């Protein structure tokens, strides 16, 4: 164990930066103090408020410490682990026997470690024999993943390390508010500017991040695709295309150019609200230096055309030769702590470990051999996350849920809450009694970051090791223990070890030869090298790494020699603008967009239990422009009702000129009356199956 005076080096439990931190057990050993870990290159010691206060959730005052089983009277009551596991196994098995294996669903989370995500996917397909598994990472960056795969043949959030960002010439940041979502990462943008680089931020709101920009473009929500096409049109019209790069390293340019040329600047101004001179300024800033990057986040991705929108930004990089070269490229800023690794190793509806396709016979054969099962026994692809949740109570009658809180986080949340309530059986494994866990028939209290060892993969594709720092409270078990116990009760005695490193060793074998190849990565290497970038195949003599002659050093930068397609060329994909699934009309004349605030995280299930964070961000609000506030008679702090075709939410007004006058904003961390996702639209991207969280039509009035 890597220790220093009994302190343990580990990583934050929250976002995909996976900031390094040092935990020092406090007297009595029940909790820990957080210290800076300046040697870890991603955050260099910096932590946001969520990271600093993470130990507060370890307290038995706020977390679950014993299993709960719902009684005949309808109450959740304490139970023994044997009683709880027996009840879960019986509920899942009964449903499978009565209605078939696909009547049992599994829903995972982007916060699960690689080991837990791997084991959960294996459990669904081997112990339950169900195809119905997906996870909340589908709501995070699935559109970027689909666009990455389509253009480059491989999906890794950033194809380069964060350290490259300050060294490039220009960054276009699309739909990201790093200052609030990943505060320690903001230094990469300030260092970029300090070194003479330029920053363009695209966001309907003038956020704290946008205030850092040399140029801020504020398009109407849902029009990012038109904006990217308009910029590409200008790049062509102004003769800024890198014809040599296109000829040598890409395919599909002619069709893509023709599609872009249909989006002339004046049309794009009408669609987006961004003036033509600002479009020209953006092109000039992006094309002036030798190197440049485009980074996207949930803004352009959480749309019913998110894959095409990200594809349009990738096209911009390819047309200017800003991909597959040092200090240039397209990257996605992953959101959840293990959003990258969580989708690589089998808890996604259509994937097997190593980012293999579930429909590929060779992939099925490889993974089945590792698992010791017949390839034909593995189910095919199942429903995507929203479609799975929407099928609860009808086609899917029992659900095992780990590390997610869809009652707050899913689009059209009131409907999803109804679907969850209609289940014959629900089991939830979680750290706290979330809003979803409160509806369960059985609640299983599981360990969290500081109480368990396991790997995560950060937004750079750097595989990291979280180390156990303290002993979990009596009555709490790990998710791996839960899956082991359930599998045994379902007749699968072997194949579900409880030791994380043993699971990781199997994950290495299962991923070997796949796009996300972890076979050359070991716990020892991760510790010795401050993380290892995948893909990292094992050498013929083993995974020794840089210190040995045969191990792969890992792949810090992708695509410098060739792209991961069959012919090594990147694929241009022609796209055209189309409206959001829902546009304003007389009944719903405004646009709603949603996002995060710095002091809360995702559905808030954990951060809302931390006093310091609640003091900083105590509840939901509706952000609106002064002109809109005057028109509807809104007063700062007074309750506003926001209504969409799916429901109504009420929260205090926050009046500011940093938002467009045709748009309102709500953060999505809270349940109850102020639940933003009551309003959001579940219209799905046809490729990624990402819901359209970022834009829907609403009306707003004093409550």
């Amino acid at each position: 164990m890597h220790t220093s005076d009994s302190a343990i080096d580990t990583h934050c439990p929250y976002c995909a930066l996976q900031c390094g931190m040092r935990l020092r057990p406090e007297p009595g050993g029940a909790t820990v103090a957080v210290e800076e870990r300046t040697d870890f290159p991603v955050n260099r010691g910096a932590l946001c408020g969520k990271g600093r206060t993470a130990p507060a959730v370890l307290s038995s005052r706020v977390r679950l410490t014993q299993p709960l089983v719902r009684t005949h009277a309808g109450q959740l009551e304490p139970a023994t682990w044997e009683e709880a596991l027996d009840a879960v196994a019986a509920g899942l098995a009964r449903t499978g026997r009565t209605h078939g294996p696909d009547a049992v669903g599994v829903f995972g989370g982007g916060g699960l470690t690689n080991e837990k995500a791997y084991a959960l996917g294996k459990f669904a397909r081997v112990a339950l024999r169900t195809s119905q598994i997906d996870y909340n990472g589908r709501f995070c960056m699935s559109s970027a993943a689909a666009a990455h795969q389509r253009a480059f043949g491989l999906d890794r959030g950033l194809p380069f390390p964060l350290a490259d960002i300050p060294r490039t010439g220009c960054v276009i940041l699309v739909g990201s508010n790093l200052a609030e979502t990943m505060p320690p990462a903001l230094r990469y943008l300030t260092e970029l500017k300090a070194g003479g680089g330029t920053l363009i931020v695209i966001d309907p709101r003038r956020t704290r991040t946008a205030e850092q920009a040399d140029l801020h473009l504020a398009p109407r929500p849902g029009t990012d695709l038109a904006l990217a096409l308009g910029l590409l049109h200008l790049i062509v019209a102004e003769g800024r295309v890198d014809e040599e790069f296109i000829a040598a390293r890409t395919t599909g340019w002619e069709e893509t150019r023709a599609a872009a040329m249909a989006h002339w600047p004046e049309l794009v101004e009408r669609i987006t609200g961004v003036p033509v001179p600002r479009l020209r300024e953006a092109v000039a800033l992006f094309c002036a230096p030798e190197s440049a990057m485009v980074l996207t986040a949930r803004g352009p991705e959480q749309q019913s055309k998110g894959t095409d929108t990200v594809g349009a930004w990738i096209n911009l990089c390819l047309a200017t030769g800003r991909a597959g070269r040092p200090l240039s490229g397209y990257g996605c800023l992953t959101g959840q702590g293990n959003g990258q690794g969580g989708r690589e190793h089998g808890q996604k509806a259509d994937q097997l470990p190593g980012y293999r396709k579930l429909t590929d016979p060779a992939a099925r054969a490889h993974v089945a051999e590792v698992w010791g099962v017949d390839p034909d026994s593995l189910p095919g692809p199942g429903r995507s996350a929203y479609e799975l949740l929407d099928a609860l109570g009808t086609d899917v009658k029992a659900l095992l849920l780990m590390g997610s809180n869809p009652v707050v986080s899913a689009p059209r949340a009131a409907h999803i809450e109804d679907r969850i309530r209609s289940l014959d059986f629900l089991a939830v494994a979680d750290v706290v009694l979330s809003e979803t866990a409160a509806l369960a028939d059985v609640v299983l209290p599981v360990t969290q970051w500081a109480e368990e060892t396991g790997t995560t993969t950060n937004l750079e594709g750097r595989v990291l090791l979280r180390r156990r720092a303290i002993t979990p409270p009596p009555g709490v078990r790990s998710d791996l223990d839960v899956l082991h116990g359930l599998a045994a009760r379902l007749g699968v005695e072997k194949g579900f070890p409880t030791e994380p490193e043993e699971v990781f060793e199997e994950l290495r074998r299962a991923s070997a030869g796949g796009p996300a190849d972890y076979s050359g990565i070991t716990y020892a290497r991760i510790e010795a090298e401050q993380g290892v970038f995948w893909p990292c195949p094992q050498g013929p003599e083993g995974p020794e790494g840089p210190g040995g002659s045969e191990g792969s050093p890992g792949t810090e930068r992708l695509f410098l020699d060739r792209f991961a397609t069959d012919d090594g060329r990147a694929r241009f994909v022609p796209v055209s603008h189309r409206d959001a699934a829902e546009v304003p009309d007389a009944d719903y004349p405004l646009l709603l967009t949603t996002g995060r605030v710095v002091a809360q995280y995702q559905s808030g299930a954990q951060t809302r239990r931390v006093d310091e964070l609640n003091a900083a961000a105590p509840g939901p609000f509706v952000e609106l422009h002064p002109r809109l506030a005057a028109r509807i008679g809104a007063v700062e702090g007074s309750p506003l009702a926001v209504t969409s075709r799916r429901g109504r939410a009420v929260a205090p007004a926050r009046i500011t000129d940093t938002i467009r006058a045709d748009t309102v904003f709500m953060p999505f961390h809270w349940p109850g009356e102020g639940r933003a996702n009551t309003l959001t639209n579940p219209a799905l991207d046809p490729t990624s199956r990402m819901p359209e969280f970022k834009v829907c039509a609403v009306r707003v009035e004093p409550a």
Side-chain angles (χ1 to χ4, degrees):
M1 183 178 290
H2 189 153
T3 63
S4 173
D5 299 325
S6 80
I8 289 84
D9 285 354
T10 189
H11 297 273
C12 177
Y14 292 115
C15 82
L17 278 183
Q18 287 298 281
C19 290
M21 58 169 59
R22 186 162 289 137
L23 300 182
R24 189 175 299 280
E26 295 189 322
T31 188
V32 291
V34 171
E35 299 175 352
E36 287 188 359
R37 182 179 160 195
T38 55
D39 62 319
F40 185 64
V42 171
N43 61 309
R44 290 174 264 164
L47 292 169
C48 74
K50 295 185 290 292
R52 284 190 299 97
T53 61
V57 187
L58 298 168
S59 167
S60 58
R61 183 176 61 86
V62 301
R63 56 92 61 87
L64 295 165
T65 56
Q66 56 188 335
L68 304 173
V69 175
R70 198 168 297 278
T71 65
H72 292 300
Q75 302 300 312
L76 283 173
E77 299 288 351
T80 68
W81 267 100
E82 298 309 303
E83 291 168 338
L85 290 173
D86 286 348
V88 176
L92 300 178
R94 182 173 60 248
T95 302
R97 281 194 311 272
T98 305
H99 303 287
D102 278 357
V104 181
V106 176
F107 200 86
L112 301 180
T113 63
N114 289 318
E115 292 80 359
K116 293 192 282 190
Y118 171 84
L120 187 63
K122 181 181 179 182
F123 176 81
R125 294 178 174 111
V126 173
L128 296 175
R129 300 288 182 89
T130 182
S131 68
Q132 300 301 304
I133 174 171
D134 210 69
Y135 82 127
N136 64 14
R138 179 78 65 172
F139 299 159
C140 176
M141 58 172 289
S142 57
S143 293
H148 249 139
Q149 293 274 16
R150 201 162 70 174
F152 304 134
L154 183 70
D155 158 45
R156 197 180 84 185
L158 293 180
F160 40 73
L162 283 161
D164 283 0
I165 292 174
R167 300 166 57 210
T168 193
C170 177
V171 169
I172 299 181
L173 186 67
V174 190
S176 169
N177 182 13
L178 275 181
E180 302 217 30
T181 59
M182 296 179 174
L186 191 64
R187 69 165 49 172
Y188 291 102
L189 301 181
T190 56
E191 289 170 5
L192 166 79
K193 293 188 65 181
T198 54
L199 174 64
I200 301 168
V201 172
I202 297 170
D203 197 307
R205 305 162 62 221
R206 193 172 75 247
T207 62
R208 285 172 52 200
T209 308
E211 287 172 355
Q212 309 288 319
D214 298 284
L215 176 65
H216 171 220
L217 307 181
R220 188 174 291 113
T223 65
D224 307 85
L225 176 51
L227 182 63
L229 285 160
L231 297 180
L232 184 53
H233 177 112
L234 286 170
I235 283 166
V236 175
E238 296 177 6
R240 299 179 184 269
V241 171
D242 188 334
E243 301 282 2
E244 185 178 340
F245 176 87
I246 290 171
R249 299 201 58 191
T250 73
T251 64
W253 169 236
E254 292 304 323
E255 299 88 345
T256 297
R257 179 173 60 186
M261 296 317 286
H263 297 77
W264 59 94
E266 292 75 17
L267 172 65
V268 170
E269 178 178 320
R270 285 204 302 275
I271 294 170
T272 65
V274 177
V276 172
R278 308 300 293 281
L279 300 176
R280 294 189 186 279
E281 186 180 354
V283 166
L285 289 174
F286 184 67
C287 293
E290 287 187 14
S291 58
M293 298 174 178
V294 174
L295 305 177
T296 69
R298 306 302 80 76
E301 297 162 18
Q302 288 181 327
Q303 298 186 29
S304 60
K305 52 182 183 295
T307 302
D308 284 356
T309 301
V310 172
W313 290 106
I314 291 174
N315 288 343
L316 197 75
C317 292
L318 293 175
T320 53
R322 303 323 182 52
R325 286 177 170 171
L327 306 181
S328 287
Y330 163 76
C332 166
L333 300 169
T334 311
Q336 293 192 78
N338 197 30
Q340 182 70 54
R343 70 178 179 282
E344 293 167 4
H345 297 300
Q347 63 171 335
K348 204 171 177 183
D350 54 352
Q351 284 173 2
L352 288 170
Y355 229 141
R356 287 180 157 92
K357 292 181 180 177
L358 192 50
T359 53
D360 177 2
R364 294 170 66 87
H366 173 86
V367 173
E369 183 178 6
V370 174
W371 288 351
V373 300
D374 182 343
D376 292 339
S377 72
L378 297 177
R383 292 173 172 88
S384 71
Y386 181 80
E387 291 163 306
L388 174 56
L389 295 171
D390 190 40
L392 299 181
T394 52
D395 295 334
V396 179
K397 298 180 180 295
L399 184 70
L400 171 65
L401 186 146
M402 284 187 162
S404 186
N405 188 18
V407 165
V408 179
S409 63
R412 197 186 173 198
H415 169 72
I416 295 305
E417 182 176 343
D418 288 344
R419 300 272 30 93
I420 290 172
R421 290 179 182 275
S422 73
L423 282 164
D424 292 348
F425 182 80
L426 172 64
V428 174
D430 209 333
V431 170
V432 297
L433 191 68
S434 70
E435 287 71 24
T436 306
L439 304 179
D441 297 287
V442 181
V443 182
L444 304 172
V446 291
T447 51
Q448 51 181 310
W449 62 291
E451 301 163 347
E452 61 187 15
T453 293
T455 61
T456 62
T457 306
N458 82 344
L459 76 174
E460 308 165 294
R462 187 194 301 252
V463 184
L464 304 167
L465 185 63
R466 289 188 195 155
R467 281 291 195 187
R468 173 168 161 162
I470 56 172
T471 303
V476 172
R477 296 185 183 180
S478 78
D479 299 85
L480 296 178
D481 282 309
V482 168
L483 294 174
H484 174 85
L486 292 178
R489 286 166 172 79
L490 294 168
V492 183
E493 297 287 343
K494 294 182 178 179
F496 291 92
T498 59
E499 284 300 316
E501 192 165 7
E502 188 177 346
V503 178
F504 190 79
E505 288 301 304
E506 184 179 305
L507 182 159
R508 290 177 55 212
R509 297 198 307 276
S511 73
D517 190 334
Y518 282 32
S519 62
I521 304 175
T522 63
Y523 278 22
R525 277 197 64 182
I526 295 170
E527 278 203 296
E529 299 169 34
Q530 295 280 30
V532 181
F533 290 84
W534 72 262
C536 183
Q538 179 168 305
E541 301 302 320
E544 289 89 346
S549 60
E550 303 295 344
S552 164
T555 312
E556 198 169 7
R557 294 171 181 85
L558 296 170
F559 313 138
L560 295 183
D561 300 317
R562 70 190 306 276
F563 295 97
T565 54
D566 291 341
D567 60 6
R569 289 170 172 263
R571 309 266 187 263
F572 278 105
V573 179
V575 294
S576 295
H577 173 72
R578 58 187 186 274
D579 282 335
E582 207 172 67
V583 295
D585 59 19
D587 294 325
Y588 302 95
L590 300 167
L591 292 166
L592 169 72
T593 192
T594 63
R596 284 170 49 187
V597 297
V598 66
Q600 301 288 355
Y601 182 70
Q602 306 301 67
S603 76
Q606 295 181 47
T607 51
R608 285 187 275 110
R609 287 166 167 80
V610 179
D611 292 341
E612 181 180 328
L613 300 179
N614 283 332
F621 56 87
V622 181
E623 190 176 281
L624 72 166
H625 192 276
R627 288 203 301 274
L628 175 58
R631 193 164 81 237
I632 66 172
V635 177
E636 178 74 21
S638 65
L640 286 183
V642 184
T643 307
S644 77
R645 288 176 174 84
R646 290 153 297 281
R648 179 176 185 264
V650 178
R654 183 173 293 183
I655 301 171
T656 173
D657 64 1
T658 60
I659 191 169
R660 291 176 57 96
D662 59 2
T663 300
V664 295
F665 167 84
M666 290 186 72
F668 54 62
H669 309 290
W670 287 274
E673 188 178 52
R675 181 174 61 186
N677 278 320
T678 297
L679 307 166
T680 48
N681 190 355
L684 300 182
D685 179 287
T687 304
S688 68
R689 317 309 287 166
M690 166 75 86
E692 191 151 61
F693 286 100
K694 279 293 180 277
V695 52
C696 68
V698 296
R699 66 172 178 267
V700 181
E701 57 215 343

